[in-house]
Amino acid sequence: MTENLPDPTRAEIDQLAGPALIEFGASYCGYCQQRRPWIDALIKANPHIRYFRVEDGKGRRLGRSFGVKLWPTLIFLRDGEEIAREVRPDSQEAIERALQQITTRS
């Protein structure tokens, strides 16, 4: 499920229940545009995952609170806790592996 604006606060993210994905990027980012089809396919195939697409940049606190430095950065969470992170993922499989970590309980 894609969440609409406004962007969530860090406190709201920390309180999330279940699996969630936050994508940090920018609309003008070439790396983000290149990976867009991979991410869109992932979200479409997993509608039970809460998904937040956050436009990041200077002065954006949420990205800073997660230590985001490069785009896209995908943060995979379970119950508000970061379980996996993909920074400029190099394949759709890398994203899928990270997703499995938040949807499969050990």
Side-chain angles (χ1 to χ4, degrees):
M1 143 197 209
T2 302
E3 302 292 328
N4 295 322
L5 295 175
D7 291 341
T9 65
R10 181 59 192 253
E12 290 169 333
I13 294 296
D14 291 343
Q15 297 298 314
L16 288 175
L21 168 60
I22 307 173
E23 173 192 358
F24 290 96
S27 57
Y28 57 85
C29 168
Y31 291 103
C32 300
Q33 293 167 5
Q34 182 186 38
R35 277 103 171 148
R36 175 94 267 126
W38 299 346
I39 298 166
D40 288 345
L42 173 92
I43 297 307
K44 185 177 180 182
N46 295 279
H48 62 286
I49 303 283
R50 293 194 67 186
Y51 170 68
F52 300 88
R53 186 173 176 190
V54 177
E55 187 78 13
D56 196 32
K58 188 174 184 176
R60 298 290 185 114
R61 292 183 182 178
L62 187 57
R64 302 300 71 77
S65 76
F66 279 98
V68 172
K69 303 222 184 272
L70 296 172
W71 301 324
T73 293
L74 306 176
I75 308 287
F76 296 83
L77 305 150
R78 186 184 319 122
D79 297 329
E81 180 183 343
E82 182 176 336
I83 302 299
R85 176 182 295 232
E86 283 293 324
V87 179
R88 290 190 179 164
D90 59 4
S91 69
Q92 187 168 353
E93 291 76 22
I95 298 170
E96 291 170 355
R97 280 192 302 273
L99 176 72
Q100 288 176 352
Q101 292 182 52
I102 64 170
T103 57
T104 305
R105 295 247 181 211
S106 306

